Amino acid sequence: MKSMSKITLQLQRCARDITNMSQQAVNGVSHRGRVLTLDSMNPNVKRVEYAVRGPIVQRAVQLEKELKEGVKKPFTEVIKANIGDAHAMGQKPITFFRQVLALCSYPALLEDSKFPEDAKQRARRILEACGGHSIGAYSASQGIECIRQDVAHYIEKRDGGIPSNPDNIYLSTGASDAIVTILKLLVCGEGRDRTGVMISIPQYPLYSAALADLGAVQINYYLDEDNCWSLNITELRRALSAAREHCNPRVLCIINPGNPTGQVQSRQCIEDVIRFAKEEHLFLMADEVYQDNVYAEGCQFHSFKKVLFEMGPEYSNTVEMASFHSTSKCYMGECGFRGGYMEVINLDPEVKAQLIKLVSVRLCPPVPGQALLDLVVNPPQPDEPSYATFMKERTAVLSALAEKARLTEQIFNTVPGITCNPVQGAMYTFPRVTLPQKAIDKAKELGLVPDMFYCMRLLDEEGICLVPGSGFGQREGTYHFRMTILPPTEKLKVVLQKIQEFQLRFTQEFS
């Protein structure tokens, strides 16, 4: 084990290197006289932070490089449990999806007898909708029409027959691209009239980063950790009232199931949120990318759109909303294809015209990602040859995630100083960790946030890469970390054991 002094020195060097990185000259050339410098660049960009790929991940990459170079460490590999990247963690792709994508990418395979006929039929349909019958061609900016129709049918089936109009569907480069696009439409004003956007704390850093980039006002509302990270309308009202003193609150963002907290909202909660949005005249953004990831007994995913329409015309005809979904999560985990969609409800027709103009600037979402999305919303049916294998693979992925969610909660709650809420859904846990005062003081001495100090020490000593809770937001005086439950079960057990051992050692060292 490394001595305390060596670890402290490494942390200081890491902090210094990160600070100096942007100040260093390129190829020995001075910055003097440059058009673009830190002082002259867009100040909003400098305010952007994205903890999921922040300094701790840079340190993890550095450690991986050192391991490859033969540098001796107390571990043999760095386990990146910091991000919801399923395939990077070893999850296997769904066979049917990759078969169709292979056929679309190389149509000559359509003559190969190894591919099932239903996969070939899907590939032919997608290719026929593409310019020149190639997924290498641009598509319409809003997305391929037949795929938007399939998305609408998927939403109708999911929501028990509530109609969905393909003209309200916009395909996107993952859900993130669609979320930022809607925020661009919403942000306006100056000073106290600047748009305020309500986001949950803890939150997914995409939101805080996008708001910083757009120069919007971030309005924090806190989830209730003592009640399994539930959403409390009283807290929404508190946050809204306080924000009206310095901005114009116009948007309410909801993540359900939650990231990083893993909670699943009840139907009653969703109804309360919709009433609140209507009463306070707020645009509702429903991030629902984990809608298939529900594990806890008694929990169920309810889409905001379904609840909105079941509440009647008073709400379904007036509340403006955008909902988002992605191919990156659920049982698919196809992060790299960057497929996603949004559905807009009650959007002003003139604003829709502006939205189409805005997405046209990007030309179109990645066509392979659109093709994958089509397969997600229109998977093999019971009378098709690929159905049995598809259902077996889908069920296996979701069952394993449910098992790992239970395992994570159980083990963490046996560790002194760590408290973990049930992982009801999504792919993460956000445990609370009690840090000794001496550790907090040491972190401040090093110029680090206490939970960053904790996670850096864990990375250096055990090779486990987590994200400090401060990167997602947390109540003052509390400390957390986010960890994905995606590693294979046996590797996850190793991760949990190493965190347990580290927590005991860390607490003893600073007590």
Side-chain angles (χ1 to χ4, degrees):
M1 186 189 303
K2 294 175 182 166
S3 68
M4 177 59 189
S5 59
K6 286 184 178 178
I7 293 171
T8 300
L9 184 60
Q10 284 182 336
L11 287 171
Q12 290 173 328
R13 285 175 178 168
C14 183
R16 187 172 63 247
D17 288 347
I18 292 166
T19 302
N20 291 339
M21 213 175 292
S22 60
Q23 300 173 348
Q24 292 173 350
V26 179
N27 296 328
V29 179
S30 170
H31 281 293
R32 183 175 298 168
R34 291 187 186 277
V35 172
L36 182 61
T37 68
L38 273 177
D39 292 331
S40 67
M41 70 178 285
N42 183 343
N44 289 342
V45 174
K46 289 190 282 187
R47 286 194 284 268
V48 170
E49 294 183 4
Y50 190 65
V52 175
R53 292 177 182 259
I56 198 158
V57 180
Q58 296 172 24
R59 175 64 179 152
V61 171
Q62 181 184 345
L63 288 172
E64 284 183 320
K65 183 179 179 182
E66 291 175 8
L67 283 171
K68 288 179 181 177
E69 292 171 348
V71 178
K72 296 297 181 184
K73 302 288 179 186
F75 44 86
T76 57
E77 66 171 330
V78 174
I79 301 176
K80 293 179 181 175
N82 61 296
I83 194 167
D85 193 348
H87 292 191
M89 285 289 180
Q91 181 178 310
K92 300 300 180 187
I94 299 296
T95 301
F96 180 76
F97 293 170
R98 289 303 182 89
Q99 286 176 331
V100 178
L101 291 170
L103 292 164
C104 288
S105 298
Y106 189 53
L109 293 173
L110 287 164
E111 307 304 320
D112 193 325
S113 61
K114 296 186 182 71
F115 289 83
E117 190 55 37
D118 55 344
K120 292 180 179 180
Q121 289 173 354
R122 301 300 174 84
R124 291 189 188 101
R125 180 171 178 266
I126 291 168
L127 289 170
E128 285 171 5
C130 295
H133 294 179
S134 170
I135 60 170
Y138 288 130
S139 77
S141 297
Q142 196 170 340
I144 295 171
E145 184 176 358
C146 71
I147 297 178
R148 289 189 290 112
Q149 290 171 351
D150 287 347
V151 171
H153 293 150
Y154 163 82
I155 293 171
E156 288 180 2
K157 183 177 179 181
R158 181 198 68 187
D159 292 345
I162 294 169
S164 177
N165 185 346
D167 287 341
N168 290 334
I169 306 294
Y170 295 77
L171 307 190
S172 58
T173 308
S176 301
D177 176 53
I179 290 167
V180 173
T181 298
I182 287 294
L183 287 172
K184 283 182 178 179
L185 292 175
L186 285 157
V187 174
C188 65
E190 298 292 339
R192 289 187 62 171
D193 291 329
R194 194 68 176 159
T195 294
V197 180
M198 302 183 72
I199 65 172
S200 61
I201 298 296
Q203 55 101 23
Y204 177 51
L206 163 69
Y207 291 91
S208 56
L211 297 180
D213 186 22
L214 295 170
V217 178
Q218 177 178 317
I219 304 171
N220 297 338
Y221 66 89
Y222 290 90
L223 301 177
D224 187 352
E225 183 173 9
D226 293 333
N227 288 292
C228 206
W229 298 112
S230 61
L231 193 161
N232 188 296
I233 297 299
T234 302
E235 169 61 12
L236 285 181
R237 295 195 186 285
R238 179 208 64 77
L240 183 72
S241 177
R244 282 185 168 144
E245 298 296 320
H246 61 272
C247 70
N248 178 21
R250 303 178 70 206
V251 190
L252 172 58
C253 298
I254 308 287
I255 308 175
N256 180 50
N259 176 12
T261 45
Q263 86 284 3
V264 178
Q265 291 182 6
S266 68
R267 182 191 170 88
Q268 183 60 54
C269 177
I270 294 172
E271 288 185 8
D272 291 343
V273 168
I274 290 171
R275 288 192 188 94
F276 175 79
K278 181 180 185 299
E279 291 168 8
E280 302 297 344
H281 200 55
L282 299 172
F283 190 102
L284 193 55
M285 294 178 63
D287 182 337
E288 300 175 330
V289 302
Y290 297 98
Q291 58 190 256
D292 288 330
N293 299 111
V294 177
Y295 318 120
E297 188 175 344
C299 290
Q300 181 182 349
F301 171 75
H302 301 277
S303 80
F304 267 79
K305 182 190 175 184
K306 182 175 189 289
V307 176
L308 175 69
F309 276 77
E310 289 178 347
M311 290 173 70
E314 178 187 357
Y315 297 94
S316 61
N317 289 343
T318 59
V319 175
E320 297 159 81
M321 185 178 79
S323 59
F324 309 90
H325 195 18
S326 168
T327 63
S328 299
K329 309 303 177 183
C330 297
Y331 64 93
M332 302 85 69
E334 293 280 12
C335 303
F337 277 95
R338 310 308 301 131
Y341 74 79
M342 66 176 166
E343 181 182 27
V344 297
I345 305 294
N346 294 321
L347 201 63
D348 184 295
E350 292 182 343
V351 174
K352 281 183 72 174
Q354 296 297 314
L355 174 57
I356 291 172
K357 178 183 74 175
L358 189 57
V359 298
S360 297
V361 174
R362 299 277 187 92
L363 296 178
C364 71
V367 175
Q370 295 186 52
L372 175 63
L373 177 65
D374 190 57
L375 306 174
V376 171
V377 300
N378 185 21
Q381 300 303 302
D383 60 345
E384 293 181 315
S386 297
Y387 179 77
T389 299
F390 169 77
M391 288 302 297
K392 180 180 178 182
E393 293 175 346
R394 181 185 187 277
T395 301
V397 170
L398 294 176
S399 297
L401 284 169
E403 178 191 352
K404 289 185 282 190
R406 289 189 292 270
L407 179 71
T408 301
E409 177 200 351
Q410 290 168 1
I411 291 181
F412 273 145
N413 282 326
T414 66
V415 183
I418 293 182
T419 306
C420 182
N421 270 310
V423 184
Q424 296 177 329
M427 297 177 171
Y428 315 97
T429 182
F430 198 70
R432 182 169 176 171
V433 56
T434 302
L435 300 181
Q437 186 59 46
K438 287 183 180 178
I440 296 172
D441 294 341
K442 187 63 181 179
K444 291 178 180 177
E445 180 187 322
L446 295 170
L448 296 172
V449 178
D451 51 15
M452 173 65 86
F453 174 62
Y454 180 91
C455 288
M456 280 288 193
R457 281 285 302 269
L458 174 65
L459 177 60
D460 273 308
E461 294 182 24
E462 299 289 356
I464 306 296
C465 182
L466 307 178
V467 189
S470 50
F472 300 87
Q474 54 197 351
R475 284 194 181 275
E476 186 72 26
T478 68
Y479 304 104
H480 301 79
F481 57 80
R482 188 190 79 160
M483 185 189 83
T484 179
I485 62 170
L486 285 171
T489 302
E490 292 309 310
K491 182 169 282 191
L492 179 63
K493 289 178 180 177
V494 171
V495 170
L496 293 170
Q497 181 182 352
K498 286 189 171 190
I499 294 173
Q500 181 178 25
E501 292 170 353
F502 170 80
Q503 166 68 9
L504 296 173
R505 193 169 65 243
F506 184 87
T507 301
Q508 183 177 22
E509 179 182 338
F510 287 101
S511 294

